[in-house]
Amino acid sequence: MQRYFVPSSHFQDKLIRITGDDVHHITRVMRYNIGDKIICNSEYGKAALCQISQVTSDEIQATIETWLDENAELPINVTIAQGIPKGDKFDLVLQKGTELGAYAFIPFQAKRSIAIWDQKKAEKKQKRFEKIIKEASEQSHRNIVPHMKKPMSIEMLIEESKNYHVKLFAYEEEARVSNPNTFGNIVNRFEPGQNILVCIGPEGGFSEKEVNILKENDFLPVRLGPRILRTETAALYALASISYHFEEMRCSECQQ
């Protein structure tokens, strides 16, 4: 059943108003009509099973039949700080990272980032990024739409990091030491409800200066397996590992 995220201001008692691009998707892509059922989510995570009751060219009204008791969110809030990569690699990180449970995304301009986003370019990209995240949230039946934060410098990222319980950065040199900080060992220390910041470098990795700045500000370097990963793979590896640990491995333990 198709899911749509609707602003809470459009929830009115038993009635929900759907506007914007979702009207086209419901009527033209899904070809739904009066009587068909959809799921509507508010931005606060509440979801309702609804029946379409009215269709016009610019608005759809749906009647709430029942509120759903469901939760598809990770028990920890994982924010991915991604060194700005070239091309459309960041689109992939957003789409797949949302499917894997990321809570928020922060693009940051790293020393070795090939792509340079000035303010005008960043503002132009923001709307597209938010659309990618929203559609991925609907497709994967998330309860919330992850936050898409504005691009930051490394200095801004350090200031932002003060809001997190655990701060990590993927560091390829950590894969080469004899006693590395493995991601699996670090994940074992996470506790439900914590805010986790995972920082991924761009194609060329972190500069020596950036590594020192991160370490000086309590970021822990971690190894993401014994192989060197592409920048667009690293965030997905981290999220998949966290999902397995909290949602699959612990679920299996409960059934034993």
Side-chain angles (χ1 to χ4, degrees):
M1 190 173 297
Q2 189 66 32
R3 181 175 301 246
Y4 298 94
F5 282 87
V6 182
S8 293
S9 59
H10 288 197
F11 283 71
Q12 300 170 352
D13 296 324
K14 287 287 186 177
L15 191 68
I16 296 176
R17 294 172 47 249
I18 301 171
T19 58
D21 293 341
D22 288 337
V23 173
H24 176 270
H25 190 271
I26 290 171
T27 59
R28 301 298 183 184
V29 179
M30 300 304 298
R31 298 188 181 277
Y32 287 159
N33 211 323
I34 293 173
D36 289 324
K37 295 184 179 182
I38 57 176
I39 296 174
C40 293
N41 265 73
S42 75
E43 63 259 50
Y44 301 115
K46 296 186 66 177
L49 176 63
C50 305
Q51 185 177 64
I52 297 174
S53 57
Q54 184 176 325
V55 177
T56 68
S57 60
D58 58 359
E59 181 176 300
I60 288 173
Q61 293 186 2
T63 303
I64 297 174
E65 292 193 342
T66 184
W67 289 98
L68 303 177
D69 183 16
E70 59 177 19
N71 182 21
E73 298 304 312
L74 285 170
I76 56 176
N77 298 324
V78 183
T79 294
I80 299 297
Q82 176 72 52
I84 294 174
K86 62 182 180 180
D88 59 0
K89 293 178 182 178
F90 192 56
D91 293 9
L92 178 69
V93 172
L94 294 178
Q95 183 187 64
K96 302 307 177 185
T98 296
E99 292 178 27
L100 288 166
Y103 180 77
F105 298 95
I106 304 172
F108 73 95
Q109 196 74 57
K111 174 70 174 178
R112 294 175 180 168
S113 288
I114 297 172
I116 306 296
W117 295 357
D118 56 25
Q119 184 175 352
K120 184 177 180 180
K121 183 178 289 188
E123 290 175 354
K124 185 177 179 180
K125 290 176 177 289
Q126 185 78 11
K127 188 174 182 179
R128 187 178 91 250
F129 292 156
E130 291 174 353
K131 186 173 187 289
I132 290 171
I133 293 172
K134 177 179 178 292
E135 291 177 350
S137 298
E138 292 170 344
Q139 180 275 320
S140 57
H141 283 210
R142 294 285 300 270
N143 291 85
I144 64 168
V145 177
H147 302 284
M148 178 65 220
K149 302 197 177 184
K150 293 185 178 180
M152 299 183 183
S153 63
I154 188 71
E155 292 78 17
M156 295 166 67
L157 182 63
I158 294 301
E159 184 64 27
E160 168 73 15
S161 73
K162 296 176 181 178
N163 300 315
Y164 295 83
H165 298 100
V166 181
K167 301 177 288 187
L168 311 172
F169 71 101
Y171 189 38
E172 60 271 20
E173 294 302 322
E174 197 67 20
R176 300 189 176 101
V177 300
S178 58
N179 189 28
N181 291 317
T182 65
F183 196 69
N185 287 337
I186 300 301
V187 171
N188 279 327
R189 305 177 200 169
F190 293 170
E191 297 179 5
Q194 285 187 321
N195 295 323
I196 312 296
L197 180 60
V198 180
C199 194
I200 309 294
E203 287 86 354
F206 294 102
S207 68
E208 183 177 351
K209 180 179 179 181
E210 287 169 335
V211 169
N212 291 333
I213 290 174
L214 292 169
K215 287 181 176 180
E216 289 168 2
N217 287 276
D218 301 320
F219 279 77
L220 185 67
V222 294
R223 184 188 86 160
L224 300 182
R227 295 164 293 280
I228 304 302
L229 304 178
R230 290 178 179 270
T231 183
E232 67 270 28
T233 308
L236 309 185
Y237 177 103
L239 288 164
S241 299
I242 292 170
S243 172
Y244 175 76
H245 180 83
F246 280 96
E247 297 176 322
E248 297 301 314
M249 187 173 72
R250 292 191 177 183
C251 182
S252 298
E253 291 173 353
C254 291
Q255 294 174 354
Q256 293 177 359

